[in-house]
Amino acid sequence: MSKIGNSKSLKATGAAASAVLATVAAEPAQAQAAPAVPVFVAAPGVDVFTSADTPIPIPDQGTITSTIDVGAGGSIADLDVEINLEHSWFGDVDVMLESPDGTVVELFTGVYGTQDPDGSYTFDDEAAEAFGSHATLPAAGGTFTPEDDQLSDFDEKDSAGTWTLTVNDRVSGDDGTLRYWRLLMTLKKNAEEELKDLKATAGTLSRMLTGAGTGNVRASAGNSFAARGQQGSIALSQGNGAGNPTISTKNGKLTGNTYTWLSVLGTGAKQGNDQEYSGGGIQIGVDTALSPNVVLGMALGYNDMFGDTPTAKTRGYLTYAQPYLAYNRGPWSGALSFTYGKANYTQSSAAGIGKADSEIWTVGLSVDRDIPLNNQSALTAMASFHYGEERVKGKSGTLAGSGTNILDFSELSTGVRWSKATANGSYYIGLHADYQKSAAARAITGRLDTDGLSGRLDFGGEIPISDRGSIAAGFDYGGLGTKFSEKNGHLSFVVKF
C-alpha cells in the first residue's frame, strides 16, 4: 500500500516536465561520503567481523543483501549482531540473518510503523527486552533480543563461511540505507584454551590464599613466643598478607607447653571492572616449644575460592596442612613453613562447564628484627619470601583432555612496621614493598597485571579478653602503584594452655 502522505514525488507537465527531466539527467549525482564505521572494542574472547560491502541503499519496495566472510572458524558458543541503518518508515522493513549452513534467524519484521531509525541496534539473546516490544522506537545504541526468533539457533554451528544479512522493504513510498553490520562471535574453546583461563584464576587464588595462611603462621609463631615470655615486656610478631602482629603486655604467660590459635580470614583482588578474585575460610594451628628459642607447630586450613573474569567464572575450594618452625632470640626472629594442599575447581564459560583438580605446595621464609623505641613502642624491619607451585589437571567437561599444567609463583617482600602497646591491647601500622612473579599473568598475557613491584599498607591490633585468650584483627591493602589491587583481612582468636 502506497503511503501518499510520506511520498517524495515531483509533479510537472508538458515542456516544464521535459525541462526538469533534462536538468536532472544533465546533473551528475552528488555521492555523499559514507560516515566512518566506528571501531568496536570487544570483550576478550569475542571475535568481531564487520561488513566490507556497505553502505548499501535500501530501495523502495526492494531487497538487498550484504555478506561477511568468516575464514578459519570453529563451533559457535554465542553470537550477537549489531546493525546500523536509517529508513524513513521502519514499518516497511524486515531483517534476517542467514548462516553459512542455511540457518535463518529473523531479527525483526515491520516494527515501529512510521518511525524512522537512524543508528545502531544490537541483538543479543541475553538482553532484557525484545526489539519491537516498546510503544515507540528506542534510542539508537540499545541492545535487545530478536523480535521472535533466537540467535541461539546458531549455537554449535560452524562459524566459517559466508554470512548473509537480508533487508527487505515491503511497501512503496520510502527507502533508507544499511550503513554497516557486525557479527560479535564467541567460539567454543578447546580444552587447552579453557585451561589458560583456569591457570590465571587458580594461580592467582592459590598465591593469595597460601600467602595469607603463611602470614598467619608467621604471626602466630611470634604470638607463641610472646605467650611463653620470650620477648620481654613487648612481644612482637610480624605478619605477611593476612598475618596479625601482636604486642602483649597484659595477657598471662603460657603455663603449659601448648599454644592454640584459630583465624578467620578473607582476601580479595581486583583489576579494572571485569576481573575479581576472592576467597575466605578458617585456619587453626597449634605449636609446642622444642627449646626456649624454638617452637614447632602445625596448621590446617580450608578456603572457598571465587574468580570472575571476562571469559569465565570459577568456583572452588582449597584444603591444606602447614607445618612450621619458628625461632626467636633477642631482637631477631624468623619462621619457616611448608604448605601442602589440594584444590578443586569448577569453571563456567561460554563453552560450557569444566572441572579440574590441583595439588599445591609452597614454602615461606621470614626474618625480622625489632628495634625498641620509647613509650612501649617498637620498629620492626621485616623481610619474607614465599614460593609455590600448583599442578592443575583437567578432569571433565570443557577441561577434559587438557592434561596437567604446572603453575609457579613467587613473592619477595621487605618493609617496616611500627607497633605500640597500651594498657588495653596493642596496634600497628606498616609499609612494605612487594615483588611478585606468577605464571597466572603469563597464562593470559595482557589481561592480568600481577607481576612486578608494588606497595602494601597494613594495620591492625589485638585486644586481650582474658589471661588465656585474645582477639586480633588486621587489614592490608596491596598492589599500590599497579592495576591489580589486593585486600586481605583477618580475625584471629588465641587460646593458651
Side-chain angles (χ1 to χ4, degrees):
M1 180 178 68
S2 175
K3 301 179 289 294
I4 301 300
N6 194 53
S7 63
K8 298 176 282 295
S9 59
L10 176 65
K11 295 184 178 180
T13 58
S18 300
V20 169
L21 293 175
T23 301
V24 171
E27 292 181 355
Q30 300 296 316
Q32 293 184 349
V37 177
V39 175
F40 187 91
V41 180
V46 178
D47 295 320
V48 180
F49 303 91
T50 304
S51 57
D53 58 0
T54 49
I56 301 175
I58 303 171
D60 186 16
Q61 278 193 305
T63 300
I64 64 167
T65 60
S66 173
T67 60
I68 292 176
D69 290 323
V70 177
S75 180
I76 295 173
D78 185 64
L79 180 68
D80 301 335
V81 184
E82 179 194 358
I83 298 175
N84 187 297
L85 79 167
E86 61 85 17
H87 197 277
S88 54
W89 194 296
F90 210 179
D92 288 3
V93 181
D94 306 330
V95 177
M96 62 193 68
L97 177 65
E98 181 178 357
S99 67
D101 76 340
T103 301
V104 176
V105 169
E106 188 173 69
L107 301 180
F108 59 87
T109 176
V111 294
Y112 299 118
T114 63
Q115 298 175 75
D116 49 350
D118 188 1
S120 287
Y121 297 91
T122 299
F123 296 88
D124 179 354
D125 279 352
E126 284 68 52
E129 300 175 303
F131 197 65
S133 62
H134 304 80
T136 59
L137 177 65
T143 300
F144 310 90
T145 65
E147 182 184 10
D148 292 312
D149 290 354
Q150 294 182 326
L151 289 167
S152 59
D153 290 351
F154 296 125
D155 289 357
E156 311 292 335
K157 306 288 186 182
D158 188 352
S159 65
T162 300
W163 292 76
T164 303
L165 187 77
T166 300
V167 181
N168 178 38
D169 184 311
R170 296 176 291 107
V171 185
S172 66
D174 292 270
D175 53 19
T177 303
L178 173 65
R179 294 194 181 102
Y180 66 86
W181 63 288
R182 290 189 175 106
L183 297 172
L184 313 177
M185 192 177 294
T186 302
L187 300 181
K188 284 193 171 183
K189 303 174 185 177
N190 58 36
E192 182 180 352
E193 292 173 325
E194 286 286 319
L195 189 61
K196 288 182 179 180
D197 284 319
L198 181 60
K199 286 171 65 176
T201 299
T204 300
L205 289 170
S206 60
R207 175 187 62 79
M208 291 167 53
L209 290 168
T210 59
T214 298
N216 272 344
V217 162
R218 179 187 184 188
S220 297
N223 291 343
S224 178
F225 282 118
R228 297 171 197 278
Q230 297 302 313
Q231 289 183 292
S233 60
I234 299 180
L236 299 175
S237 64
Q238 294 76 29
N240 180 25
N244 55 294
T246 303
I247 304 176
S248 177
T249 58
K250 185 175 180 180
N251 282 7
K253 290 186 178 180
L254 196 69
T255 57
N257 197 34
T258 303
Y259 179 84
T260 305
W261 53 274
L262 170 69
S263 182
V264 180
L265 61 92
T267 184
K270 186 175 182 179
Q271 179 173 309
N273 295 318
D274 57 1
Q275 295 188 72
E276 294 189 35
Y277 307 88
S278 61
I282 62 172
Q283 188 179 23
I284 186 170
V286 59
D287 66 52
T288 186
L290 300 182
S291 75
N293 302 108
V294 178
V295 297
L296 177 66
M298 171 66 77
L300 302 175
Y302 172 88
N303 289 286
D304 290 317
M305 301 182 290
F306 306 90
D308 290 341
T309 72
T311 57
K313 295 182 182 297
T314 304
R315 302 293 181 264
Y317 63 87
L318 166 67
T319 57
Y320 60 89
Q322 193 170 27
Y324 60 93
L325 186 70
Y327 173 83
N328 174 260
R329 186 163 185 170
W332 291 94
S333 61
L336 175 66
S337 65
F338 295 91
T339 305
Y340 176 78
K342 291 190 174 183
N344 295 88
Y345 299 99
T346 299
Q347 177 175 279
S348 302
S349 68
I353 296 176
K355 295 181 180 293
D357 291 339
S358 76
E359 290 184 324
I360 302 168
W361 71 266
T362 73
V363 58
L365 176 65
S366 63
V367 178
D368 310 298
R369 189 182 191 282
D370 298 336
I371 305 171
L373 303 175
N374 56 3
N375 298 322
Q376 291 291 299
S377 63
L379 200 63
T380 304
M382 310 169 64
S384 65
F385 177 71
H386 178 220
Y387 176 82
E389 288 187 356
E390 182 171 13
R391 188 181 296 267
V392 183
K393 183 178 182 179
K395 289 186 62 179
S396 62
T398 58
L399 293 167
S402 59
T404 300
N405 281 259
I406 297 176
L407 313 173
D408 64 297
F409 54 84
S410 59
E411 296 178 288
L412 180 65
S413 178
T414 183
V416 63
R417 179 181 285 159
W418 177 82
S419 310
K420 183 174 178 60
T422 69
N424 298 310
S426 60
Y427 54 91
Y428 68 90
I429 185 169
L431 185 63
H432 313 265
D434 301 327
Y435 181 82
Q436 299 176 2
K437 188 174 183 181
S438 170
R442 298 193 295 272
I444 49 175
T445 303
R447 280 179 37 207
L448 189 59
D449 183 24
T450 59
D451 286 1
L453 187 65
S454 64
R456 176 166 52 89
L457 174 69
D458 65 349
F459 56 90
E462 180 193 27
I463 301 174
I465 56 176
S466 73
D467 285 347
R468 295 291 175 260
S470 62
I471 298 176
F475 179 83
D476 70 276
Y477 187 96
L480 300 176
T482 71
K483 297 178 182 179
F484 191 84
S485 62
E486 294 189 34
K487 302 179 183 69
N488 295 292
H490 71 90
L491 181 64
S492 299
F493 303 89
V494 174
V495 179
K496 297 169 286 187
F497 300 99

